Amino acid sequence: MSGRGIWKLLAIFVVVLLVGFSVLWMREAKDMGTLRSLLRNGAVNNNWLNVKLAREKHQLRKASTIKPTPRKTFYNLADDIDYSREAVPRLSKPGAISDKIELDYFRYLQNLQFDCRHRIRAGTGETGDGGWEVCLDPPYNMKPGKCLVYSFGISTNWSFDDYMDKTRNCTVHCFDPSIGKKDFKRSPNIYFHNLGISGSNETNDKKWQLYTLGSIKRLLGHENVTLDYLKMDVEWSEWPSLQAMYREGVLSQVKQFALEFHGIPKKQADVDIINKLYELGFRIFYTKRNFYNRANSGLTQRTVYMCMEVHLVNINFLKQDVKSGHRQ
Ligand SMILES: *[C@@H]1O[C@H](CO)[C@@H](O)[C@H](O)[C@H]1NC(C)=O
Ligand SMILES: *[C@@H]1O[C@H](CO)[C@@H](O)[C@H](O)[C@H]1NC(C)=O
Ligand SMILES: *[C@@H]1O[C@H](CO)[C@@H](O)[C@H](O)[C@H]1NC(C)=O
Ligand SMILES: *[C@@H]1O[C@H](CO)[C@@H](O)[C@H](O)[C@H]1NC(C)=O
């Protein structure tokens, strides 16, 4: 073929491509136009919209950014939310990845992955802050006098820490640099440290001394010691702290992990860390949405829960326990 022939073919190819994209774009624009006018007129139960939403829901389920999409297990808290009613999809940012992440995130965290039969609430507050769920199924059963608990984020509520001390006779190390207290012993079992957790060792602008979990374990002489329960409610610092824990490899020495996630993942790294928790063996056995902290997602206008209290067990301990014959 002559040089000219190739150029001609190329030109035709480009024109076909342009026409194709234009058609796709016009279809999308038309959909968005219809959607906007429907929403303006408040017609939520419109058939066109329902078909669109059903298709979108199906596609989102098919390609979850958070993998593995959990099997339907014992019961499913996500089922009690009708996302198609709550959501105004793609309104501010058509096709935005953030919309997809948002849906995946809430759906994922509310799917239980582990059936803990003996679960108790440690500390007060069935609805508010303060209490946390503890799985007592073996091998997670906080052996009295032999359990070690780290508790990050105390504020004014010691009910969880006191419960782990008094009821389970655990050694509890508490950390909170935000309450202006010096290191002290609250009881023979409870140690308070004027430190906080973060993604690196640093002193922040409020003069709080912050460390990674690995560094704190080293400081306390717990370098290779298993934490029976790690609690973390640290107002958004969980995101960088989790990254550091993963880097340091300290999560393999955590049996139970309860943490409050704040906000919505904004970047791929945030999603990835949730995937990594799964890869490391962590399974969700309880999730509490904080009803007092609902907000409108700026991205999608969906009603979202800004505080998700997620409770996980590390199933690698279950496997080790069975292997070593220490079933009880
Ligand atoms: C801890 O918080 C719970 C729930 O908000 C509350 O009922 C309880 O009184 C608090 N305890 C303390 C010691 O502040
Ligand atoms: C609590 O555990 C310690 C060991 O850490 C033990 O010496 C003590 O007797 C236990 N107390 C109770 C009330 O069981
Ligand atoms: C963080 O601080 C601890 C305690 O001072 C120290 O042992 C550790 O090496 C530090 N880690 C990093 C990454 O700087
Ligand atoms: C912790 O384990 C590592 C790797 O097995 C080892 O090199 C280190 O000496 C241990 N540290 C302590 C304090 O036992």
Side-chain angles (χ1 to χ4, degrees):
M1 200 188 285
S2 71
R4 250 177 139 181
I6 289 175
W7 282 114
K8 247 189 203 160
L9 265 181
L10 211 62
I12 290 170
F13 179 66
V14 168
V15 168
V16 167
L17 220 60
L18 283 176
V19 170
F21 278 127
S22 305
V23 169
L24 282 180
W25 180 80
M26 280 190 296
R27 252 177 48 185
E28 177 80 13
K30 186 163 162 259
D31 279 1
M32 288 307 290
T34 314
L35 184 55
R36 283 212 180 84
S37 82
L38 278 173
L39 291 167
R40 245 195 326 271
N41 300 327
V44 170
N45 273 325
N46 178 279
N47 188 44
W48 177 89
L49 183 58
N50 287 341
V51 170
K52 282 268 165 215
L53 286 171
R55 193 178 308 150
E56 178 141 322
K57 216 165 148 179
H58 174 71
Q59 274 166 359
L60 282 173
R61 268 192 209 284
K62 243 179 30 187
S64 176
T65 47
I66 299 181
K67 285 179 197 148
T69 308
R71 279 179 298 117
K72 190 164 169 68
T73 44
F74 304 97
Y75 63 96
N76 184 346
L77 288 172
D79 283 348
D80 69 2
I81 298 184
D82 183 351
Y83 287 98
S84 66
R85 273 172 200 280
E86 267 188 273
V88 180
R90 295 159 143 229
L91 198 56
S92 53
K93 280 195 176 175
I97 181 72
S98 45
D99 177 41
K100 183 165 159 45
I101 288 180
E102 189 178 290
L103 268 175
D104 285 348
Y105 170 74
F106 287 105
R107 200 172 278 146
Y108 184 82
L109 290 188
Q110 293 176 101
N111 264 286
L112 303 190
Q113 303 165 334
F114 185 85
D115 180 25
C116 177
R117 295 294 167 104
H118 188 185
R119 175 166 63 75
I120 53 152
R121 189 159 182 86
T124 45
E126 190 51 51
T127 50
D129 280 349
W132 294 82
E133 302 291 321
V134 182
C135 182
L136 291 179
D137 287 351
Y140 305 107
N141 48 333
M142 308 287 154
K143 293 186 189 70
K146 287 194 186 126
C147 41
L148 179 61
V149 177
Y150 275 18
S151 168
F152 289 95
I154 306 296
S155 187
T156 56
N157 204 311
W158 296 82
S159 60
F160 166 80
D161 313 271
D162 289 340
Y163 182 96
M164 295 309 255
D165 169 17
K166 297 280 173 327
T167 312
R168 312 301 308 179
N169 193 14
C170 296
T171 301
V172 187
H173 288 271
C174 309
F175 308 84
D176 197 330
S178 74
I179 55 179
K181 280 191 160 53
K182 291 207 172 76
D183 293 4
F184 74 103
K185 259 184 109 167
R186 181 174 167 85
S187 78
N189 273 338
I190 301 185
Y191 301 80
F192 175 80
H193 306 271
N194 184 22
L195 306 172
I197 193 163
S198 183
S200 59
N201 293 355
E202 57 182 322
T203 310
N204 75 359
D205 47 10
K206 294 179 185 138
K207 299 269 184 300
W208 297 352
Q209 195 65 58
L210 306 174
Y211 292 101
T212 62
L213 181 60
S215 301
I216 289 174
K217 285 188 80 185
R218 224 170 302 136
L219 282 174
L220 299 186
H222 293 155
E223 192 175 349
N224 294 329
V225 178
T226 294
L227 299 180
D228 291 278
Y229 201 99
L230 170 60
K231 179 213 103 181
M232 185 164 80
D233 181 3
V234 291
E235 309 304 317
W236 306 82
S237 286
E238 66 276 9
W239 297 106
S241 301
L242 277 168
Q243 299 286 352
M245 288 180 201
Y246 182 75
R247 272 198 315 275
E248 294 175 324
V250 284
L251 282 166
S252 62
Q253 294 168 340
V254 174
K255 259 181 160 174
Q256 253 185 93
F257 191 7
L259 75 163
E260 184 161 298
F261 282 105
H262 297 85
I264 301 159
K266 292 201 176 49
K267 45 187 197 298
Q268 193 59 42
D270 296 338
V271 171
D272 290 346
I273 200 69
I274 294 175
N275 283 328
K276 282 169 186 161
L277 280 175
Y278 186 95
E279 281 163 24
L280 289 174
F282 287 94
R283 300 291 181 270
I284 302 170
F285 69 90
Y286 186 78
T287 292
K288 191 175 134 231
R289 286 173 279 166
N290 191 331
F291 285 93
Y292 298 98
N293 228 322
R294 280 168 291 179
N296 262 12
S297 159
L299 288 164
T300 60
Q301 310 308 316
R302 189 181 288 121
T303 304
V304 294
Y305 297 89
M306 297 305 279
C307 301
M308 300 285 287
E309 286 170 18
V310 182
H311 302 68
L312 309 106
V313 287
N314 185 339
I315 57 165
N316 288 323
F317 286 91
L318 195 63
K319 291 180 191 162
Q320 282 167 23
D321 195 53
V322 171
K323 223 181 261 171
S324 64
H326 284 163
R327 274 165 286 178
Q328 19 178 320

